[in-house]
Structures are given as C-alpha cells and as structure tokens.
Amino acid sequence: MSLSAASFEYVRQVLRERTGHQLGDDKVYLVETRLFPLARQCGFDSVDELVQHLRWGPRSELLQQVLDAMTISETSFFRDGRPFDDLREVVLPELIRRRAGERRLHIWSAACASGQEPYSLALLVCAGFPELDGWTVHLLASDQSRAMLARARRGWFSTLEVGRGVPADVLERFFRRVDDGWQVGREVRRLVEFLPINLVEPWPALPRMDLVLLRNVLIYFDLPTKQRVLAQVRRVLRPDGYLLLGGAETTHNIDDAFEAVSAGATTVYRLRRPNGDAAPD
Ligand SMILES: C[S@@+](CC[C@H](N)C(=O)[O-])C[C@H]1O[C@@H](n2cnc3c(N)ncnc32)[C@H](O)[C@@H]1O
C-alpha cells in the first residue's frame, strides 16, 4: 500500500469540509488502513483507485462510506459511568423540578454514533423516574452517519456491547434476546427519535433543549469549527438548560458564553447570565 500525496490531500480536504474533522500530516497510514477494506469491498485494488473514483465518478454514496470509515464511532452504554450517575442524581432531578409546570423535557444526544448514548439516557428515564409518567419526554439522537443511525434505530447490540456498561438488572428488565444479541425494548426505543444532523452543516429547526449531550466529537474539530458548533448549541439550549461534553472537552477559552458548574463530580455547562446570577431553582 502506498497512498499518493494527492489522494491523501483529497481525503483530508473532503473530511474537513464535510465533517469538520482535522487530519494531521502524519495520518497517511491511518487513511490507508481505514480505507483499504472499503476499497476491496468496492472492487478496487488500492485506496488510490478508490480515491480516483471518488474524485471523478458519481460519488455521493461512496463519499458517505469514506466519511464513515474515517470517523471514529467508539461509544458505549453509560460511557465513563460517573456523568450518567450525576445526570440521574443531580441534573435530571433539578430539570424535572423546574419543568414540573410544563411536564415536558427535551434532551438531545448530538453525535450519538450507534445509539448507546441516547439509549443510556432513555434507560435512565425509564428505570429511575416513574414521576415522568404522563410527561412528554422527547429524546432526540443525531449523527452525521446514516449507517450509524440505521444501526442505532434498530437498537440491537451484541453481547460484548451490552457487556460494556449495561448493569445486569437493567439488561434483564429492558432488553430482549434477539439473534445472538440484545435488542432494547420497545418502551425504551419509543422515547428516542433518530435524525441525521451534520453539526458543521446548517441544522434543521429544533425544539429548545433542556439538556444537550455533545460528547467526544468536539475533539475532532479545529477551534473555529468548535466555536461555530457551540454558538449553535447556545441557540438551541434553554437559558437554564445544561450542556454535557466528553471528558476531554471543554468550552473554556472556546466559547465564554458558557460557564462550567459542578453536578456532583461531573462538570456541566450552562449559559452564563449577563449579571452573573445563579440559575433559578
Ligand atoms: C466517538 S463517537 C461519540 C459517540 C458518543 N457521543 C459517545 O460519546 O460515546 C463520535 C461520533 O460523532 C459523529 N460525528 C463526527 N463528525 C460529526 C459531524 N460533523 N456531525 C455530526 N456527527 C458527527 C461520528 O459519526 C461518530 O458517530
């Protein structure tokens, strides 16, 4: 395998334009290893041939496959553990108190990969908050990858995948055995609506959100892209809503309209109030 400089530049450019992802100069090997299986699957002898086809032939479906192969979709149920404990113990109870009048909650998992993150939220709601019975709980889950969304909608996970984070009692209560794996039960799946949304392209009209999870995706963007995405999050987040980022992500020095607050052991972000007041309880 040896990828030409022109092919590498082309992949790097479409990846940046279409997903906001940055690839360093040293990532030639990464492009080759990620795209080689796709090249073979499409009948090409090399990644160069695949890229030639992408450049000069009809490309929309192949382009999406290339973007999917190049983006990292690593995820797991209740990823990192503690943030989900703190959502259950601190953030959700507080939001439920504040929304008791409207009896409505809007939550968005904004780069949901194969669905473990929004289903973790839905499982929290189903297992931990019987008082939400009769409320409208809308869980939006989105990703740029339609292949990921198709997987996520089915709600089927291998034994290995559920083994990464689903407690045994939750598995028994909310999943059923299907095809050597596990499918999330209908009463949990029906809470989640999956939509394709590319964070670096114009967003569709969205309801104002009480809680946005934007985890483990900002890290792939350059600073101006992070700033654009966070500026849009500001517009969809309710003034007293919360933003949860991945463990290696922050709004600090990126968008100072957000301030960090502690929710148990987890840092969450909310919109800074002009006079510096705390959020109403
Ligand atoms: C590492 S996964 C994170 C999944 C989940 N949020 C978590 O923390 O476990 C990153 C996801 O971001 C998605 N993604 C990457 N760039 C995106 C973009 N520009 N718009 C929307 N989703 C994007 C990828 O398709 C991938 O599914």
Side-chain angles (χ1 to χ4, degrees), residues 19 21 72 74-75 79 111 113 117 143-144 198-199 215-216:
T19 68
H21 285 223
I72 296 187
E74 163 68 16
T75 187
R79 183 172 185 174
E117 181 173 281
D143 202 278
Q144 58 83 30
N198 188 330
L199 295 167
R215 302 182 75 213
N216 303 303

Side-chain angles (χ1 to χ4, degrees), residues 27-43:
K27 294 292 189 275
V28 177
Y29 182 72
L30 184 81
V31 172
E32 287 192 296
T33 46
R34 290 264 178 81
L35 295 188
F36 190 65
L38 177 63
R40 296 312 295 262
Q41 185 192 317
C42 297

